[in-house]
Amino acid sequence: MSHHHTAPKLASRIAETSARHSLFEEEIRKLPVPVCSVFLGETGSIRPTAFTETDAVLQSKDHERTAEVFPLTVGKNRNVVLVATPPQTAEKVTGKRVAVLFSGGPAAGGHNVLAGLKAVLGKHNTLLGIKKGPKGLLNGDLFEITCRQTETIVNTGGFDFLGTDRTKIKTPEQFEKVKQAVLKNKLDGLIIIGGDDSNTNGAFIAEYLEREGIKCSVIGIPKTIDGDLAVGKYLPISFGFDTASKIFSELVGNLTQDAASAVKYWHFVKLMGRTASKITLEVALQTKPAVALISEEVAEKNMSLDDIVNYVVDTITDRRLRGINHGVVLVPEGLVEFIPEMRTLIQELNKVLAEYEADIKDLPTLKNKQDFIYPRLSPQSAQLMASLPEEIEEMLILDRDEHGNVKVSQIETEKLLIDKIRYRVSEIKRHPEKFFGKGQGKFEATPEQIEKIKSLSLSTQSHFLGYEGRCGKPTPFDAAFTFNLGLTAGSLVLAGKTGYMAVVTDFDRGGRALALPLSGLITGELRKGKPEEVIEKSLVELSSPSFKVFAENREKWAHEDLFSSPGPIQHWGPTSKQIPISVALDQGYADYKNFKLGEERKIEFE
Ligand code: FBP
C-alpha cells in the first residue's frame, strides 16, 4: 500500500524540521524587515549612520547626584539626546570588534537585534556573542557570530541563541573582570540588551571603562516584556512588550469565549509584567474582560485587600443579577506590592531580610525564620502576614532575586484573591439581607434578587500567563523594532559613542533612531533598604489616554459580555501590523492598525 512507501519519506521530512527548521520558521526567516530610511544608502543597502545633537536634554530628578556618580560620562555627553543622521563621508569604519549580550528575562525580538547589528557592522567589522548574559562576560565566554548563524536566527523568538542571566555587575572584582574581557577580546564596543537594571549597569560600565582610559563604547538596548522601560516620546515602549501582550491577549481572548460558552466559570488570570500593570492594561484594551485590576490605581486610591475583594465580588453579584454567571478577571503580577498594607509589609520584610540576611539564611526551618522575623515587624504587618496563606508567606520570606526584590512572579496572587472572594461570596449567600437589605449595601435587593444571589454558585479557574509570552516568535512590529534597534546600536559603536541607550521612536511615521544618554535616565531608589542608582520604572499613569479609555469603558465590560478576541499573533494578513493599543493612544498616533518603520528589505548577510 502506498503509505508504506511514503512513510519513510515523511519521517525524514519531520527530522529535517528539527533545530529551527519548522515549516513556520523556514517561512518566517524569508520575510522582509522594514528598515528606517536613515539606515539606507543611495543604492538601498544598509549603512551605519552618524549622530548629531538635538535640543533635548534628559534630566532626572536626581541629576545633580547622577552628575557626581557619572562625572566623566555627563562631562562628555551633557545628557543631550542624539539623533541618527545620514553619514557625512562615504568612508567606512572597519576592523571594529563589538560584543553583545542578553541580560535579564527573555523578550521576543532579541535575535533580530543581533541581526541588525550584524547587518550594520557588515563584513569589515566583527560581531561577538557573549554566552549566558553578564556572567558570560565575566567568564570571558565569547565567540564570533557568523552570517550563517544570523540567517538561522533572524525573525525567530527567544534568547536561546546566546542565553541570558541576571548577574548584576557591582563589585570591584567584577568590574576588573569586565576590563580584562574587553582588553583580551580587543573590544571596541559592548552592547547590553536589557531592562532598567541592566541599562543602569551599562551606565556604570561605561563610566568605569572611561575612567580606566579604555576606549570601548557601551550601548544599552531597551528590552523587557514588562513595558516599564519607556520614556515618553523618546521611547514609547521596550521590545518584547508587543509580542508578549499579543500572546496573552490571544489566550485571554480564548478564555473570555470559553467563559461565555461554558457559562459557568470565572477565570482569574494573573499576567506577568513585574511591577507595572502595562501588560494588563494592554490585554484589557484588546479583550474587554469583566474585571481588570490595575495596580497603579489600587495604590493611588489606597485600596486595601478587602476593597479589591469587594470590588470583584460586586461585579460577580451584579452580573449574576443580570443572568451572567461567568467572567474573566485580569490580575497584574505586581498587584500585592501596590496594596498599601502589603507594600508596608514587604518594605519591612526587605529591611529585616537585608539587615539579618546571614542569620535568617542559617535558620533551618520556615518556622524558625518566622519566629525570628515576626517580632521585628510592626504589629499590623505581623498580623497581616499571619493572615496570609502559608505558601505566600514562604514566598515573601524566601524568594528574592539578585537585586533583593521579591519575586512577584512567584506569588500566587490569583489564588489569594480566589480564596478571599469565595469566602466573601459564601458570606453574602448566607446573609444576603446583611449586604443587600434596606440601607445596607450598594442597593436594596428585591426578594427575587435575594433568591438569585442565594443560588449563586461560584466556580473558579486560575491561570498564570508569563513564560509563554516571553519567547514567542516576534510580532512583525517587534521584529522590525528590534532590527532597527540593532542598526542604531551598531551605528553608535561605529561612531565611537558611549553611555547611551539606542532607541527607535515615531512608530507611525517611518521611525526615528535616537541615542538617549543613560546618565540622564538614572535616579535614586530604595533597594534592600538602601538608596541605589536606577532607571526609573515607567508605570501606568492614571492620567494617560490609554488608562482613561479603559476606565471609561470598563463598567460596560463588567455588566455585559462585550469581549473581543484578537486571535493569534498574525504574521500575515490584515491584522498583522498592529502597534499595542495603549502605546498608540499614549503616543497620540491616529491609529494602531499599521506601524510604519521604513521600507521593507530582504535581509542578506554576507
Ligand atoms: P526583565 O525585566 O528582566 O525583562 O524581566 C521580565 C520578567 O518576565 C518579569 O515580567 C517577571 O517578573 C520576571 O521576568 C520573572 O523572572 P524569572 O525569569 O527570573 O523567573
Side-chain angles (χ1 to χ4, degrees), residues 40-62:
L40 295 175
E42 268 161 30
T43 58
S45 59
I46 289 170
R47 54 139 199 231
T49 60
F51 285 86
T52 50
E53 292 195 349
T54 64
D55 296 337
V57 174
L58 290 183
Q59 231 172 36
S60 79
K61 60 179 171 18
D62 293 324

Side-chain angles (χ1 to χ4, degrees), residues 113-252:
V113 177
L114 308 188
L117 284 168
K118 189 76 188 158
V120 78
L121 294 176
K123 60 180 164 193
H124 300 295
N125 298 291
T126 308
L127 180 64
L128 301 158
I130 301 171
K131 284 193 180 158
K132 298 203 188 97
K135 198 187 267 160
L137 176 62
L138 300 179
N139 297 338
D141 204 351
L142 284 76
F143 70 102
E144 187 176 337
I145 300 178
T146 64
C147 290
R148 272 297 293 278
Q149 286 168 326
T150 318
E151 277 163 4
T152 353
I153 59 170
V154 71
N155 288 336
T156 64
F159 275 10
D160 54 314
F161 178 62
L162 294 180
T164 181
D165 92 320
R166 291 191 185 278
T167 299
K168 186 167 184 174
I169 297 171
K170 51 178 185 239
T171 67
E173 296 74 37
Q174 286 173 318
F175 277 99
E176 176 64 29
K177 279 191 179 168
V178 172
K179 180 169 127 187
Q180 293 314 328
V182 169
L183 292 176
K184 188 169 161 224
N185 293 284
K186 303 192 172 62
L187 299 184
D188 302 288
L190 173 63
I191 297 187
I192 297 175
I193 302 175
D196 48 352
D197 283 328
S198 315
N199 275 282
T200 306
N201 239 269
F204 277 104
I205 297 174
E207 177 76 15
Y208 166 79
L209 291 177
E210 194 83 34
R211 198 166 53 229
E212 295 290 304
I214 295 170
K215 242 187 113 8
C216 174
S217 305
V218 183
I219 302 296
I221 297 214
K223 169 254 26 170
T224 176
I225 65 163
D226 301 349
D228 58 4
L229 183 50
V231 192
K233 286 275 168 214
Y234 297 115
L235 175 62
I237 201 71
S238 52
F239 83 78
F241 174 83
D242 185 50
T243 306
S245 49
K246 283 199 176 108
I247 292 177
F248 298 153
S249 297
E250 178 196 350
L251 296 172
V252 170

Side-chain angles (χ1 to χ4, degrees), residues 201-510:
N201 239 269
F204 277 104
I205 297 174
E207 177 76 15
Y208 166 79
L209 291 177
E210 194 83 34
R211 198 166 53 229
E212 295 290 304
I214 295 170
K215 242 187 113 8
C216 174
S217 305
V218 183
I219 302 296
I221 297 214
K223 169 254 26 170
T224 176
I225 65 163
D226 301 349
D228 58 4
L229 183 50
V231 192
K233 286 275 168 214
Y234 297 115
L235 175 62
I237 201 71
S238 52
F239 83 78
F241 174 83
D242 185 50
T243 306
S245 49
K246 283 199 176 108
I247 292 177
F248 298 153
S249 297
E250 178 196 350
L251 296 172
V252 170
N254 295 350
L255 285 176
T256 54
Q257 300 208 320
D258 187 87
S261 307
V263 292
K264 61 177 179 181
Y265 286 126
W266 274 86
H267 292 278
F268 285 73
V269 192
K270 186 175 71 164
L271 292 169
M272 217 180 223
R274 202 187 290 274
T275 308
S277 303
K278 293 225 171 155
I279 288 183
T280 301
L281 178 59
E282 175 64 22
V283 174
L285 290 169
Q286 294 273 0
T287 61
K288 289 103 183 160
V291 177
L293 299 169
I294 301 295
S295 307
E296 292 83 342
E297 186 181 25
V298 166
E300 178 98 10
K301 296 191 173 159
N302 227 339
M303 289 171 83
S304 65
L305 190 52
D306 274 345
D307 292 336
I308 296 171
V309 167
N310 289 342
Y311 172 65
V312 180
V313 170
D314 279 349
T315 308
I316 292 174
T317 45
D318 180 88
R319 281 170 73 94
R320 174 71 189 115
L321 293 179
R322 293 166 193 266
I324 308 173
N325 209 15
H326 60 263
V328 170
V329 180
L330 303 184
V331 183
E333 178 180 8
L335 182 68
V336 289
E337 281 189 295
F338 284 81
I339 302 172
E341 73 260 33
M342 291 289 286
R343 175 171 240 172
T344 311
L345 168 64
I346 291 171
Q347 277 167 357
E348 288 181 24
L349 274 173
N350 281 348
K351 271 214 181 112
V352 176
L353 289 172
E355 205 173 330
Y356 301 99
E357 203 173 342
D359 308 73
I360 294 170
K361 227 184 223 146
D362 285 345
L363 292 167
T365 68
L366 177 67
K367 176 83 178 54
N368 297 145
K369 292 182 206 279
Q370 286 168 329
D371 290 345
F372 184 91
I373 293 170
Y374 269 77
R376 291 176 168 81
L377 298 175
S378 68
Q380 295 89 328
S381 290
Q383 198 186 357
L384 173 62
M385 181 96 152
S387 78
L388 298 174
E390 182 132 289
E391 309 84 69
I392 292 191
E393 204 178 331
E394 201 171 336
M395 289 294 329
L396 289 175
I397 297 180
L398 300 181
D399 264 326
R400 296 302 167 117
D401 71 8
E402 300 260 355
H403 304 283
N405 300 324
V406 175
K407 281 196 191 165
V408 280
S409 69
Q410 314 286 326
I411 300 176
E412 298 187 309
T413 326
E414 70 287 16
K415 294 190 183 153
L416 173 68
L417 284 178
I418 288 178
D419 261 19
K420 300 230 171 228
I421 286 165
R422 296 186 73 88
Y423 186 79
R424 180 88 181 160
V425 165
S426 77
E427 267 183 345
I428 292 182
K429 280 170 68 177
R430 261 180 288 132
H431 309 288
E433 55 306 324
K434 241 171 74 189
F435 295 88
F436 297 101
K438 210 178 174 122
Q440 294 297 324
K442 279 175 55 177
F443 63 97
E444 190 185 338
T446 63
E448 204 190 13
Q449 286 179 323
I450 296 269
E451 279 318 300
K452 265 195 174 168
I453 291 169
K454 274 187 174 163
S455 71
L456 201 168
S457 87
L458 181 63
S459 301
T460 54
Q461 297 285 355
S462 64
H463 312 262
F464 168 37
L465 301 180
Y467 298 100
E468 46 279 82
R470 305 197 305 188
C471 289
K473 302 291 170 255
T475 54
F477 170 73
D478 267 332
F481 184 31
T482 46
F483 190 79
N484 284 283
L485 286 173
L487 297 178
T488 311
S491 298
L492 279 164
V493 171
L494 296 180
K497 306 289 179 194
T498 188
Y500 289 91
M501 190 196 287
V503 302
V504 174
T505 181
D506 293 10
F507 302 153
D508 61 339
R509 280 184 287 160

